[in-house]
Amino acid sequence: MGQQMQSGEPAARRPDPNAPRSGQSGLTRRRLLTLGAVGAVAAGGAYAVSRGPGLASLPQLTGLGEPTPPELRIDPQPVDRSALQARRRIGAAAYVYEVTARPARYYVTEQFGARLDQWLALHRRHVGQVPDEVRCYGGWVRGRATSWHSSGEAIDIARLRADGRDLTSLRYDLWRDAPAPELRRRLALYWRTAAGLHHEFADVLTYLFDAAHSNHIHVDLGRFGPERPRLIRRSDAQVQAVQAMCRQVWGRTDVQITGDFDDVTREATSRILEQAGSPGELGDSREAWQAFMVATMEQAQPETR
């Protein structure tokens, strides 16, 4: 995703997984997933689509368990940096650019900045960590209309730190070959942190999405805008994350990371919700999704089954 220097101008950028490769059309993996959701409306799916304020959302179709998201935005609308809010903090923590390890400004919409603040407060409350800096690869970058960074509605988070040391590293690229006990500890912290991000953002991309996300977690307010997240069964990113949380945080090694919300995943998440005092299924409601994520943030050590 995008990188940003202290001035806010883009630095040399890693390949953007949302961007088409040379010789390809503008249909990227994320756009294909989005367009697939659009097509699902005509086939009886649970999505409503609006391409702008003049088009009303389609009605909820009967007989479906998931409510209709109020809006589905296929493409970001790039903006100039001057249209965005310049920030130096996420909540109470300083924003630090991962490449230079120096405090910096980043540029996002006011709404997105507020959601980041809410996420960090949630992390402090339920994970118990109090970072004094959040290291990132950047928010806004000047770029194509295929990246939510260009509209100031995305950020790439690399580490949470305090007193000069890592509390949680999202740099999977640096520790994925660690000895087994260390790897288990880091994966548990990674997915507890990811749970907080999934609580606040519908689009969260981890190392499971592709290799380009092995050194950060990407979050954005892209396709669903301010809509609070809930389980979307056809979202590979969401389902894979839930399955990884079951395995790495809750010790449910019978759950396989497939991207399919299968019976084993359904049973495991229902059991976790029951333990958390929120009986039901993960896909039942937004409240069930939030309860699962809070319980995962608060789960300190996995108990292998």
Side-chain angles (χ1 to χ4, degrees):
M1 290 290 176
Q3 295 184 359
Q4 161 188 9
M5 297 300 289
Q6 286 182 273
S7 66
E9 291 298 328
R13 300 174 62 192
R14 300 184 301 281
D16 186 346
N18 292 325
R21 294 182 179 88
S22 177
Q24 290 182 331
S25 71
L27 290 179
T28 64
R29 179 180 175 188
R30 292 189 72 190
R31 293 203 73 229
L32 284 170
L33 291 172
T34 302
L35 291 170
V38 174
V41 174
Y47 283 96
V49 182
S50 66
R51 293 305 305 276
L55 180 61
S57 294
L58 298 177
Q60 168 69 27
L61 300 173
T62 58
L64 295 169
E66 297 176 2
T68 303
E71 182 175 331
L72 182 66
R73 300 184 294 169
I74 294 178
D75 291 316
Q77 296 297 318
V79 299
D80 188 77
R81 189 183 71 182
S82 62
L84 300 172
Q85 186 180 67
R87 305 180 105 232
R88 286 188 173 273
R89 307 190 75 79
I90 296 177
Y95 170 90
V96 175
Y97 184 45
E98 171 73 357
V99 175
T100 62
R102 295 179 180 176
R105 285 188 296 270
Y106 68 104
Y107 298 84
V108 292
T109 65
E110 183 175 357
Q111 182 180 64
F112 186 76
R115 189 69 66 89
L116 286 172
D117 293 344
Q118 292 167 18
W119 157 67
L120 193 60
L122 194 77
H123 182 91
R124 290 174 55 141
R125 183 160 62 249
H126 296 296
V127 179
Q129 295 179 340
V130 184
D132 55 32
E133 65 179 59
V134 178
R135 292 199 178 186
C136 302
Y137 282 106
W140 172 88
V141 293
R142 183 181 292 109
R144 294 175 290 266
T146 54
S147 169
W148 296 100
H149 287 279
S150 68
S151 62
E153 298 173 282
I155 201 166
D156 295 336
I157 303 171
R159 312 172 196 250
L160 280 66
R161 293 170 58 83
D163 300 323
R165 62 181 182 87
D166 286 355
L167 300 177
T168 297
S169 169
L170 306 179
R171 294 289 307 269
Y172 179 70
D173 61 320
L174 298 182
W175 47 260
R176 60 187 164 196
D177 296 321
E182 177 69 7
L183 183 61
R184 285 195 295 269
R185 183 187 72 82
R186 287 185 177 275
L187 283 170
L189 274 174
Y190 181 102
W191 289 109
R192 289 174 66 201
T193 302
L197 293 166
H198 275 281
H199 185 285
E200 293 297 315
F201 301 93
D203 285 309
V204 180
L205 305 181
T206 70
Y207 66 84
L208 292 176
F209 184 75
D210 62 18
H213 293 82
S214 65
N215 64 354
H216 67 275
I217 293 182
H218 166 97
V219 299
D220 65 60
L221 283 181
R223 298 175 298 158
F224 298 98
E227 179 78 359
R228 288 287 177 172
R230 60 163 300 142
L231 175 65
I232 301 171
R233 288 179 175 87
R234 61 180 63 85
S235 167
D236 285 351
Q238 278 192 344
V239 175
Q240 286 179 339
V242 166
Q243 291 168 331
M245 292 172 201
C246 288
R247 288 180 63 87
Q248 306 298 346
V249 179
W250 293 98
R252 287 295 301 258
T253 54
D254 55 327
V255 176
Q256 301 301 310
I257 301 175
T258 64
D260 294 323
F261 196 74
D262 53 28
D263 289 343
V264 177
T265 305
R266 182 178 293 104
E267 185 277 328
T269 53
S270 296
R271 181 68 62 86
I272 291 166
L273 283 169
E274 184 179 6
Q275 289 179 229
S278 180
E281 292 194 2
L282 186 62
D284 283 349
S285 66
R286 182 169 290 106
E287 289 72 25
W289 176 262
Q290 292 176 335
F292 178 86
M293 295 306 162
V294 168
T296 299
M297 283 187 278
E298 292 180 343
Q299 178 72 0
Q301 293 294 333
E303 299 177 0
T304 303
R305 285 189 51 182

